[in-house]
Structures are given as C-alpha cells and as structure tokens.
Amino acid sequence: VGVVGDVDSGQDMVNTGDLPKVQFYLPYGGLPTSTVSVVVQSASSPDVLAPAVRDGFRASVPGVPFSEILTMEDAIFRVRWVSAMFGRQLAIYAILATVIAALGLYGLTADSVSRRTRELAIRSALGADRLTLIRLIVRDSLALGGAGIALGVLLALGVTRFGSQMLLMVSTHDPVI
C-alpha cells in the first residue's frame, strides 16, 4: 500500500481530452492481467534505459510477458495514426465532392445555355451585348451555386454533432474544419 498523486493515464497513455471517471489501483497478485503498462520518464536515451527497465519489470512481475519498449512519440503515433489516416481520407473525399459539384454546376450551366440558345439569340438580336448575356448566365449559375453552398452549410452544421467525436482538440465550430 502506498500513496500516489492524481492519475490520468488517458487512453493508451495519451490524453485525448476525455478524463476517466474513476481510477483505482489493484494489487497485481490479486487480479493478474495479460498486459501491464509502465511509463518511465528519463533524461537519458531510451536505448540506454531499455535493458534496465526490462530487467526491473521481469523482476517485479515474473510470468507476465514483456513485449516492447516504446518512446512516448511512438505510443502517441500508434494511438493517433488511425485518426490521422481517416482525416486525410475525409479531406480527399471532400476535394472529390467539390470537384464533382463543380462539374455538376458546369453541366447544369451548359444545359441551361443550350436550352436558352434561342432566347439568347433573340436578346442579342434586340441589342444585348455579349457581356450582358454572359452576366445573365453567370448570375443564374451563381444563384444555383449559392443555394447549394447554403444548403451544404446547413447540413454541415447539423452533422457536426455526430462528427465531433472524431475531432480531438479541435472545435467543431471552426469554419475551416
């Protein structure tokens, strides 16, 4: 039995922002587990310290297999690589969705112009210059694109509550995110 300070091991030795509700110590002999994590802070190199940590671990808990020694950077990478991979994947999907939306807007604009060829020809014959006709087409396209962006922002605001679990240490109300 000993006295220790506050413990916050986070998830897999990395603080993810969610503090554990309850933490307590159990004697290893009373409830042995198949894994034990040991965190060591040292000013020396992990390669120099590893044999001493390994020997001390084997002496204190014999019979528990010793798997590996990781630096904190390696432990953090192992916890966070999945989130980073999915983040990159979602960014690629967002870029693809933007390209597809731009192509769709181009298609709608091209279809609108082809359907309005007669109208545009009549306007031109009545004295409308080329710039006026282009403004007419661009204004309609911007209205359609603006409506799509507004709808997308509304849907994104509704979905942020569900996606917030994937964003660690980032506000869901950040416009860039």
Side-chain angles (χ1 to χ4, degrees):
V1 176
V3 177
V4 297
D6 294 338
V7 175
D8 176 16
S9 63
Q11 178 183 359
D12 294 330
M13 298 186 299
V14 179
N15 185 0
T16 59
D18 296 332
L19 296 176
K21 302 286 188 258
V22 176
Q23 294 179 336
F24 56 93
Y25 291 97
L26 291 175
Y28 179 77
L31 185 65
T33 63
S34 61
T35 60
V36 174
S37 297
V38 177
V39 179
V40 177
Q41 181 178 359
S42 172
S44 64
S45 168
D47 296 332
V48 173
L49 193 60
V53 170
R54 187 175 287 117
D55 292 341
F57 180 83
R58 287 189 179 134
S60 63
V61 282
V64 175
F66 188 90
S67 60
E68 62 188 333
I69 292 180
L70 299 173
T71 63
M72 189 55 76
E73 290 80 21
D74 292 339
I76 290 171
F77 174 77
R78 286 188 180 187
V79 171
R80 300 250 168 105
W81 77 270
V82 174
S83 296
M85 181 192 70
F86 283 126
R88 283 197 238 31
Q89 192 174 15
L90 286 173
I92 290 170
Y93 289 156
I95 291 168
L96 285 174
T98 303
V99 168
I100 290 170
L103 289 173
L105 184 59
Y106 169 77
L108 286 172
T109 303
D111 182 58
S112 172
V113 169
S114 69
R115 288 176 187 252
R116 297 171 67 183
T117 303
R118 187 177 186 138
E119 173 198 344
L120 295 173
I122 292 171
R123 286 178 184 259
S124 179
L126 292 175
D129 62 340
R130 181 181 173 108
L131 190 60
T132 303
L133 297 176
I134 290 174
R135 278 191 200 131
L136 179 68
I137 293 167
V138 170
R139 186 187 69 214
D140 292 345
S141 297
L142 287 177
L144 187 61
I149 289 172
L151 182 63
V153 167
L154 287 175
L155 288 173
L157 290 174
V159 173
T160 55
R161 183 172 43 133
F162 301 111
S164 66
Q165 299 301 319
M166 295 175 19
L167 303 173
L168 301 175
M169 297 182 294
V170 175
S171 170
T172 56
H173 303 297
D174 185 358
V176 175
I177 299 301

